Amino acid sequence: MPPPSDIVKVAIEWPGAFPKLMEIDQKKPLSAIIKEVCEGWSLGNHENFALQNADSTNFYITEKNRNDIKNGSILRLTTSPSQMAGQLHERIQSSSMDAKLEALKDLANSSRDVTFAQEFINLDGISLLTQMVESGTERYQKLQKIMKPCFGDLLSFTLTAFVELMDHGIVSWDTFSVAFIKKIAGYVNKSAMDMAVLQRSLAILESMVLNSQDLYQKVAQEITIGQLIPHLQGTDQDIQTYTIAVINALFLKAPEDKRQEMAHILAQKQLRSIILSNVIRSPKPINDEMAHQLYVLQVLTFNLLEDRMMTKMDPQDQAQRDIIFELRRIAFDVECEPNNSGSIEKRKSMYTRDYKKLGFINHVNPAMDFTQIPPGMLALDNMLYFARHHQDAYIRIVLENSSREDKHECPFGRSSIELTKMLCEILKVGELPSENCHDFHPMFFTHDRSFEEFFCICIQLLNKTWKEMRATSEDFNKVMQVVREQIMRALTQKPNSLDQLKSRLQNLSYTEILKIRQSERMNQEDFQSRPILELREKIQPEIMELIKQQRLNRLCDGTCFRKISSRRRQDKFWYCRLSPNHKVLHYGDLEESTRGEVSHDSLQEKLPVADIKAVVTGKDCPHMKEKGALKQNKEVLELAFSVLYESDEYLNFIAPDKHEYCVWTDGLNALLGKEMTSDFTKSDMDTLLSMEMKLRLLDLENIQIPEAPPPIPKEPSNYDFVYDCN
């Protein structure tokens, strides 16, 4: 007979004694179990003791997490969290340097446990640590030369403990003094600082900036981009990552009016070239966290264009009108004519003719073309940049098209406006960076005006594609679709430089795009005759059942999910999987992300499938209704789903990517007997159905299939030819 599910067999350690094997009844209060253990070793004052996991975490067992204990666990009897917090609070104030160092080391280790953290914070522990950073460590400054390693460790453990305690989100970031911020900024500004101290200090500055607008102001006064840049020139990728994270945080929280100013400072300090040479082109491979920070920097840099993108042209503004005159002058090399030369009507007629050649929609007043937002004035900026920095190419495109027949000319003005709008859509200008995206493009770090250069390459591509398609003005939208496809296909190959992008686009000519499309169409060929459509309908349920089984098998394998927190580098993970009999969802917390299999025993939480009431996605999820910029992130919103079970309780998920999102929402819907509606299911259905159809019709190749089935022959006069098995 199996043991009751509430009984867990464990081993309990106590220093200096043999481990005790015992059975824990999960129905009993934890205090009663601790009392029983203490009495077994003749220990009094059982309320001063607690149980903790005897593994690397040393996390305390509480009434909340006691269900995580599994058979065969090793636990340790130890001092209670409140006692431990009191002792450490006292020890870190010791006058002995060695005792203080040991206490801070223990504190840094213990602070990862939220139970201990709460007790230590209740003793005003964070204030004590900040005071030590502000003034306490100054007593040891004189000893720094003699005891530099000890001083570095002392500060490192103090800051580590501080970061761990703050990461639990118990205390608000708004409570810190200017003296503390100055101290932390001072550690970042020093040239020869202990690496661990520098890393923690950068992490603290990033959290301060991201979590409090008030602290952003104070940090921005203490730290400059120039002081951060030397940290990017080292070889430690962790320090480089934290440094870019601080720059991103300052960029993200800067008021609108300060962002352009900050971008100007970044350009002056040559941040881009330093990142290119020391990070992107470093011999070390770029890890995921660094890739994310580079992606965020790329997004924030492009977002500086949003202001121009959303600014309409003012037809009355002479400075803006002068840009259009400049475009005309460069294209046609018109000498500056005196105002009185020719009549006003003659000049207007000449301007109208030239503006038509330049490809504007409104030939009389081209300023009206730039009143559409997006792309607004950004399109005009791009055109002027192209005309000034790639003058030969600009003149060639304009003159080439102005000499063609009217119906075949590629309108430079209209094309530039639509292309700028398209590039803004592709690069998502104006959108907040995604929380879990690593999609940065190295080529955008190779030039100070990368967006404008990108435009110049693409406008020349557009003109080339227009000629290859022999397009007329009616084909404008078709050409733009082909150009978008060319650009998207080139970007997926992640070119390392703008020159590499040019060569990739050269290879993606209109002819090549047609071949690719033809190939894809062949793979997704859709037979339309009635017998084949009937066969498709007959096969479809079998394929759907196959997809359903695949989804459920994937749920049985399980997935590692990330818990959303305000600090990315302190990520917490959890794992969820379906039992092989499809009856129960098993889940539990993990120490780190894993791609391998996680045993059922390590997942203590259970949710019977029979208890699941519904699956909700996106904005309907409870964890997406909370306030905060992170929760409003469009991409995170697209990966969120929740399982609703008894009495309005939820199990909330953020899928690692779109693929896992589709797998899980499909699988959960299949378990509930509902339809699987994800894009992934549609794609799988098309692929598998097409493959199955081709296999079944293999012998019918080159045979014309009639619309109507052949007539059924008459019955034979006798059935003597039938062989009777019996």
Side-chain angles (χ1 to χ4, degrees):
M1 185 175 170
S5 58
D6 293 321
I7 303 296
V8 186
K9 293 183 177 181
V10 298
I12 298 179
E13 296 177 342
W14 173 250
F18 285 110
K20 186 190 290 272
L21 295 174
M22 69 178 289
E23 292 184 351
I24 289 178
D25 185 350
Q26 291 285 38
K27 287 179 180 174
K28 271 188 184 179
L30 200 55
S31 55
I33 294 166
I34 293 167
K35 185 179 180 183
E36 188 184 326
V37 175
C38 289
E39 285 170 354
W41 273 309
S42 306
L43 300 169
N45 297 328
H46 65 87
E47 60 276 358
N48 292 337
F49 290 93
L51 291 172
Q52 66 179 183
N53 290 304
D55 56 17
S56 57
T57 64
N58 291 332
F59 284 177
Y60 279 101
I61 306 298
T62 63
E63 290 291 354
K64 284 183 182 176
N65 66 19
R66 64 184 296 177
N67 290 328
D68 294 346
I69 305 170
K70 50 185 180 284
N71 279 319
S73 294
I74 300 173
L75 307 181
R76 184 184 297 124
L77 186 66
T78 186
T79 317
S80 70
S82 57
Q83 289 276 105
M84 177 71 81
Q87 288 170 12
L88 279 174
H89 193 275
E90 198 174 312
R91 283 172 58 204
I92 62 174
Q93 298 178 73
S94 168
S95 55
S96 160
M97 190 77 143
D98 290 336
K100 196 181 192 80
L101 188 62
E102 276 304 308
L104 284 166
K105 189 175 181 180
D106 290 344
L107 178 63
N109 191 39
S110 301
S111 295
R112 290 179 299 153
D113 183 4
V114 67
T115 314
F116 169 84
Q118 184 68 68
E119 294 292 343
F120 189 76
I121 288 166
N122 289 346
L123 295 172
D124 218 11
I126 287 185
S127 294
L128 178 61
L129 291 179
T130 53
Q131 283 165 21
M132 287 170 65
V133 171
E134 285 173 35
S135 57
T137 49
E138 285 177 3
R139 281 183 282 160
Y140 307 108
Q141 294 278 11
K142 293 172 185 174
L143 300 171
Q144 193 174 352
K145 287 181 183 175
I146 311 165
M147 309 179 70
K148 192 171 181 183
C150 186
F151 176 77
D153 288 345
L154 189 81
L155 195 50
S156 170
F157 289 131
T158 306
L159 295 178
T160 303
F162 176 81
V163 168
E164 294 289 358
L165 290 167
M166 289 304 296
D167 190 44
H168 296 298
I170 300 166
V171 177
S172 166
W173 281 92
D174 284 312
T175 54
F176 298 107
S177 67
V178 175
F180 178 70
I181 297 166
K182 282 187 174 179
K183 211 74 183 168
I184 298 295
Y187 300 140
V188 172
N189 293 340
K190 278 183 187 169
S191 52
M193 181 46 76
D194 181 88
M195 281 297 183
V197 173
L198 177 58
Q199 191 184 62
R200 305 296 185 280
S201 300
L202 287 165
I204 290 167
L205 287 180
E206 185 203 3
S207 290
M208 282 178 170
V209 171
L210 288 176
N211 286 290
S212 165
Q213 193 62 38
D214 185 42
L215 284 185
Y216 157 75
Q217 305 283 357
K218 293 172 184 172
V219 172
Q221 288 168 5
E222 296 300 325
I223 200 103
T224 65
I225 302 298
Q227 289 159 332
L228 289 169
I229 280 176
H231 302 312
L232 292 171
Q233 293 169 316
T235 54
D236 188 313
Q237 195 171 104
D238 279 344
I239 296 293
Q240 291 174 326
T241 305
Y242 277 85
T243 304
I244 297 175
V246 173
I247 292 170
N248 285 339
L250 289 168
F251 222 132
L252 195 61
K253 291 294 177 179
E256 292 292 332
D257 54 331
K258 286 278 179 74
R259 283 185 194 170
Q260 294 290 349
E261 183 187 320
M262 194 169 169
H264 183 61
I265 294 167
L266 292 180
Q268 280 183 333
K269 300 292 180 187
Q270 297 178 310
L271 177 74
R272 177 199 58 74
S273 56
I274 289 166
I275 289 174
L276 183 67
S277 54
N278 292 281
V279 178
I280 295 172
R281 290 183 177 164
S282 158
K284 290 181 184 176
I286 291 174
N287 60 33
D288 280 354
E289 183 53 39
M290 175 59 90
H292 172 76
Q293 294 301 342
L294 290 171
Y295 152 80
V296 172
L297 185 60
Q298 173 186 296
V299 171
L300 294 175
T301 307
F302 283 141
N303 280 358
L304 293 170
L305 303 167
E306 186 183 11
D307 185 42
R308 293 294 281 171
M309 180 180 83
M310 301 308 287
T311 302
K312 290 183 180 182
M313 185 167 182
D314 178 6
Q316 306 304 317
D317 188 324
Q318 190 57 44
Q320 294 179 359
R321 290 162 66 87
D322 285 347
I323 299 175
I324 297 175
F325 287 133
E326 178 76 352
L327 289 172
R328 175 180 164 274
R329 186 194 64 75
I330 295 171
F332 305 113
D333 198 23
V334 178
E335 291 295 329
C336 292
E337 301 160 2
N339 289 335
N340 56 5
S341 66
S343 67
I344 294 171
E345 285 76 17
K346 186 180 176 183
R347 285 208 308 277
K348 278 186 178 176
S349 167
M350 186 175 65
Y351 287 172
T352 302
R353 184 197 65 210
D354 289 348
Y355 291 148
K356 187 178 179 184
K357 287 179 182 177
L358 276 168
F360 289 111
I361 298 169
N362 192 323
H363 307 148
V364 179
N365 186 5
M368 299 306 293
D369 287 15
F370 299 97
T371 53
Q372 174 199 353
I373 53 170
M377 288 296 290
L378 186 60
L380 190 57
D381 295 344
N382 282 341
M383 291 164 76
L384 185 64
Y385 181 90
F386 181 47
R388 283 181 174 167
H389 294 83
H390 300 271
Q391 199 164 324
D392 291 345
Y394 167 69
I395 293 169
R396 189 183 69 249
I397 285 175
V398 173
L399 296 184
E400 199 176 80
N401 286 298
S402 61
S403 60
R404 284 188 196 159
E405 297 173 48
D406 273 359
K407 63 175 185 175
H408 282 289
E409 65 183 21
C410 175
F412 173 72
R414 184 185 174 194
S415 300
S416 299
I417 292 165
E418 288 301 318
L419 179 65
T420 302
K421 185 179 176 182
M422 183 201 291
L423 296 184
C424 288
E425 287 169 5
I426 290 171
L427 298 175
K428 298 180 178 174
V429 174
E431 288 188 25
L432 277 173
S434 163
E435 174 63 17
N436 50 3
C437 184
H438 311 104
D439 188 26
F440 82 97
H441 292 277
M443 69 175 186
F444 291 130
F445 290 85
T446 60
H447 201 284
D448 286 325
R449 304 285 295 274
S450 58
F451 184 80
E452 289 89 340
E453 287 292 326
F454 186 36
F455 168 84
C456 295
I457 292 167
C458 294
I459 194 69
Q460 292 175 73
L461 166 76
L462 193 151
N463 192 57
K464 173 174 166 278
T465 304
W466 185 284
K467 286 189 283 187
E468 288 169 353
M469 290 176 71
R470 294 178 181 154
T472 63
S473 52
E474 286 82 20
D475 302 319
F476 187 85
N477 290 334
K478 288 180 188 173
V479 176
M480 294 306 290
Q481 284 170 10
V482 173
V483 170
R484 179 186 272 270
E485 191 173 339
Q486 289 170 311
I487 294 168
M488 293 300 286
R489 288 185 185 278
L491 286 179
T492 53
Q493 297 170 23
K494 290 283 178 75
N496 288 320
S497 65
L498 292 163
D499 286 336
Q500 207 173 84
L501 174 73
K502 275 184 202 171
S503 61
R504 298 265 163 89
L505 289 170
Q506 284 292 334
N507 297 333
L508 282 167
S509 63
Y510 176 58
T511 316
E512 187 61 29
I513 290 290
L514 283 179
K515 282 182 189 172
I516 293 168
R517 283 180 174 179
Q518 181 66 21
S519 165
E520 288 174 354
R521 205 163 29 244
M522 290 289 286
N523 291 335
Q524 298 169 359
E525 197 168 340
D526 192 14
F527 304 101
Q528 294 302 322
S529 63
R530 196 165 59 82
I532 290 179
L533 289 174
E534 286 176 6
L535 180 60
R536 278 174 71 91
E537 284 178 24
K538 188 179 177 184
I539 296 170
Q540 211 157 334
E542 298 172 30
I543 301 292
M544 188 56 84
E545 186 58 32
L546 182 68
I547 293 170
K548 177 183 170 182
Q549 288 307 316
Q550 187 274 341
R551 298 291 190 269
L552 294 175
N553 290 342
R554 275 288 292 105
L555 262 62
C556 291
D557 292 341
T559 301
C560 178
F561 296 95
R562 186 167 60 83
K563 290 184 177 180
I564 290 291
S565 67
S566 58
R567 291 182 50 76
R568 292 184 88 303
R569 278 169 302 286
Q570 299 288 333
D571 280 354
K572 304 284 191 297
F573 298 93
W574 67 292
Y575 200 86
C576 187
R577 61 142 51 118
L578 180 66
S579 61
N581 64 2
H582 302 171
K583 300 281 187 187
V584 180
L585 283 176
H586 296 269
Y587 61 96
D589 291 344
L590 292 182
E591 277 302 297
E592 55 185 26
S593 177
T594 177
R595 292 185 183 276
E597 199 168 310
V598 176
S599 66
H600 274 289
D601 292 341
S602 62
L603 304 175
Q604 289 299 300
E605 301 288 336
K606 294 179 183 178
L607 171 57
V609 171
D611 291 351
I612 298 176
K613 292 180 181 177
V615 177
V616 292
T617 59
K619 289 180 182 176
D620 298 328
C621 299
H623 56 317
M624 291 295 110
K625 290 176 182 173
E626 297 169 26
K627 291 182 179 177
L630 185 68
K631 302 293 183 280
Q632 304 307 318
N633 190 300
K634 187 181 171 187
E635 290 197 29
V636 173
L637 204 63
E638 288 173 353
L639 298 175
F641 61 98
S642 298
V643 171
L644 169 63
Y645 56 103
E646 60 185 36
S647 65
D648 291 336
E649 289 191 40
Y650 286 88
L651 187 59
N652 296 321
F653 298 77
I654 300 280
D657 51 49
K658 192 70 181 171
H659 179 273
E660 288 294 329
Y661 170 83
C662 292
V663 164
W664 274 85
T665 50
D666 282 344
L668 291 167
N669 280 322
L671 283 173
L672 299 178
K674 293 181 179 175
E675 196 180 342
M676 298 184 291
T677 54
S678 76
D679 297 340
F680 193 36
T681 293
K682 289 171 191 165
S683 166
D684 282 357
M685 173 60 82
D686 290 344
T687 305
L688 292 170
L689 201 52
S690 171
M691 201 183 296
E692 183 67 20
M693 292 294 292
K694 284 175 182 174
L695 284 170
R696 294 205 184 192
L697 298 171
L698 206 57
D699 297 332
L700 304 177
E701 197 172 351
N702 297 327
I703 297 173
Q704 194 169 0
I705 297 166
E707 282 292 326
I712 299 169
K714 289 179 182 178
E715 286 193 25
S717 55
N718 63 63
Y719 289 88
D720 294 346
F721 57 85
V722 175
Y723 176 73
D724 187 355
C725 297
N726 299 321

